[in-house]
Amino acid sequence: MVLRIITLLVAAAAAAGAAETAASLSEQLRHITLDPDQCYRVRDLEFRREEIRFFFADGILIFTKPVAGQRIMAVYQAAEAGDDAEVLLRAPDRSERSSLSKAIDSPNLNEHFHSAILVLTDGGADQLLTQIREAGPKPRPDEGILLAGRMNEAVRNFAVSFQVRLVLDLLSGNLRRGLFYAALAGRTQGNFDLMFDPTLQEQIVVGRVVDNKPGGFEVWTNFSSRTRRAGAEEPATLDDYRIEATIQPDLTMNVNAKARITAQSKISGGLMFELAPQLSVTAVKLDGQPAEVFRRDSLRANMAGGRANDPFLVVLPAGLEPGSTHSIEFGYAGNLIRPAGNNVFYVAARTNWYPSFGFHFTTFDLTFRLPKELKVVATGEPVSESEEGPLRVARFRTSAPVRLAGFNIGDYESVTAESGGVKVRVCANRKLEAALVPKQEPRVLVVDPQIAARNPLRRSGEILSIPPPLPPPDPKARLRELAAEIVSAMEWMSGRFGPPPLPLVTVSPIPGNFGQGFPGLLYLSTLSYISEKDRPAAQQSSKLQTFYSEILHAHEIAHQWWGNLVTASTYRDEWLQEALANYSALMVLERKKGPKALETALSECRSELLLEAGEPKIAVEANGPLTWGSRLRADVGVDPWRIIIYDKGSWVLHMLRRRMGDTAFLSMLSETRERYHYRSLSTEDFRGVAARWLRKGDPDPGLVEFFDSWIYSTGIPTLEITTRLRGKAPALELVVTVKQSGVHDDFVADLPVEIRMSKTAAPIVYWLRTGPEPAVLTVKLKAPPVKVDVAPGAGVLAVRR
């Protein structure tokens, strides 16, 4: 009943403040203050948000003055020696308990704190005030004046840091989607933050602001709340994009983007979109009517929520009814294209150059105007291209829904290749970017007198010019070769995974040492275009040569299926996209250069996983399991994310392949694509599909132990393997013993033991499960075996002794 009353009061306040503009609410937030008349000494006050529990044993709690009729912040302070408050949180699974242990040396959070700033747009302030008033303490305005004097500036800084989200919540008045955020000063852990945000896929986040993590925030634990395990849904979907972009000679872009918006539930107040920070929104229209746009930095909210883009708010002139569709039009401009020299360009914002709130499968109609000496490529099939005065005008349209659209520009030369119903167009810049061009400095030599004395053809002091170095490498050197390789790899993948999302794939160069695979559009490092002998010295190792010549383009091709047709459910499942793409590329390498090339690549992956880095130094693989996803990223030294997601993910798939057999493994991949195309795939979904293709008699028919050890946990075991034959024929006993070390006691690995009785006969397969104690397999034989292999063919990610 109390919550119902609070909800009605807040809804009434929101309705009363409906005339407020986003700008006026922002101004109020910039001047928000604590209210001395709402300052209380609290005792034994309990407050809960799902798995998060607060106990204010004793201390001062003060609330802010209302903004648009709502109190949205509060401050707790331990004012006397005996004052104390506590926060408790129990992580729901072993992975998250491990994450907390790594951060705070405890599997659960139980921290006493002496001060806190609370953000409460979910009705939390009214809930706390109701409890306080029912308990009977009187306000303490004198203490409130002193506390407000000390804390008002900090409160205002927090309000500004969250202002886009706070403005949205104030406009909508929707408590179910309101934010709870606490910045705590812990007695043992120092400053840290804790959040419950119903708009996130995983609503509970705990961590702290740090310098060495991308985004500036270190996640201690992140999981879905008990009542929201299925994750949050977007309030609306955007589809049918029609984008017109003009690229000026100075590379500034002016863009008009239209889309259809469909409300999934009743929406009031506003909608939050994301866009690259380099782009400024100039105007928005909803159903042809101008709408207010509000955009400010929301640093702390973005860091903790994991947002990579800058949010902006579109204030709705009226509410949107469930199921209703509307047109929305954005005007925006900015500079997200950087020159790399020699008419080579770098598109810095490839996934966020148009407004969105999440990736949905939709169609795109893209028109670009740019200086006519340049060319543009984009997601979709070319519709038309013409010249209008100084401009080139090119239009592209997707023939099927895709998750995202990209573009690239340059001074291109291109070739087209087609085979087996697969068509690719490969573009190369006519010149190298400046960073890859060898320096052409003039060089002279003054003849030494001693040299002149020995050589009658030379005079002392004579100036000799040294011939200039060879011409710079040609970025078109591998154009036709690359096109042939790409169409061959696409044909092979199409034969196993089904048709790609679009009938044409365009490949374009990008400065840097990476690639990216969009639907129908690939970005490839310029280094992939240069012949191996012409690459910079730093890229001349055999591993990097294989990467740029064999792996990179095949990996990005594979993203046509893994990432563009089959998507990840959450960030925890993104390892599947990268691992499936990378292992598909390794299978292409194996097909071209043989099994030994695949095993060499996997050996290099294992070496990277075992590399010790960080402070204190630990194996890279030990930084966390595959399902931590982007939480594995680091800004300093070796990046654990890349190594764990790509290298360990590839090993996991290879072990599944060895477990199933080649035919079953490829059938499993085909079924995965067929069942989940245009859908999201979770790690558990993948386990269910993979388990269907195991060999009969597999000791782990549901792959539960396999996923627990290799995906949801960490560890690369060291295996000491011994085999011995005892007795005499025909009463022989083969004894295989495996001692496992270097992993936790719960880690198990099922190892196939293949026994060959003759060179031509198929091997007999037994299974042996490792554990904390030595595992022993005893087999009775009538004759000595020709060969005994434990997990052959790189069948297990381990160090063997």
Side-chain angles (χ1 to χ4, degrees), residues 116-277:
I117 296 177
L118 309 177
V119 178
L120 308 141
T121 59
D122 60 350
D126 287 323
Q127 291 178 32
L128 285 166
L129 279 167
T130 298
Q131 290 185 63
I132 291 169
R133 289 165 183 162
E134 287 177 352
K138 297 187 186 231
R140 299 195 173 199
D142 291 343
E143 288 185 64
I145 291 171
L146 294 174
L147 189 53
R150 294 199 306 271
M151 296 298 297
N152 271 337
E153 184 176 358
V155 167
R156 280 192 287 268
N157 288 339
F158 254 82
V160 169
S161 180
F162 285 91
Q163 59 183 322
V164 175
R165 175 60 185 275
L166 297 185
V167 167
L168 174 61
D169 288 353
L170 287 168
L171 285 170
S172 70
N174 186 347
L175 299 184
R176 290 184 66 252
R177 293 179 66 86
L179 173 70
F180 169 77
Y181 200 103
L184 309 176
R187 297 191 183 274
T188 60
Q189 299 299 336
N191 296 335
F192 66 98
D193 294 6
L194 188 150
M195 176 170 71
F196 174 75
D197 184 352
T199 69
L200 297 179
Q201 279 283 348
E202 297 191 348
Q203 299 80 36
I204 293 175
V205 184
V206 183
R208 65 157 49 111
V209 176
V210 294
D211 293 330
N212 67 338
K213 284 283 185 181
F217 194 84
E218 177 188 58
V219 175
W220 292 355
T221 186
N222 175 209
F223 55 89
S224 294
S225 62
R226 186 179 297 108
T227 59
R228 297 292 302 279
R229 293 284 189 238
E233 292 184 356
E234 293 287 356
T237 57
L238 278 179
D239 62 6
D240 191 22
Y241 276 94
R242 287 154 292 156
I243 302 175
E244 295 187 7
T246 299
I247 302 172
Q248 306 290 351
D250 66 355
L251 302 180
T252 299
M253 286 184 67
N254 295 293
V255 189
N256 179 268
K258 298 177 182 177
R260 179 174 57 207
I261 187 168
T262 303
Q264 303 301 311
S265 58
K266 185 175 180 60
I267 304 170
S268 59
L271 280 169
M272 190 184 296
F273 298 86
E274 293 185 350
L275 189 64

Side-chain angles (χ1 to χ4, degrees), residues 29 46 116 162 226 277 355-356 366 401 432 453 481 498 539 568 570 590 645 678 697 718 724 735 769 786:
L29 290 172
E46 182 176 349
F162 285 91
R226 186 179 297 108
S356 67
L366 310 173
L432 280 180
E481 178 186 353
Q539 313 296 334
T570 71
E590 178 188 29
I645 298 300
Y678 295 119
T718 296
R724 59 194 178 99
V735 181
R769 174 168 288 184
V786 172

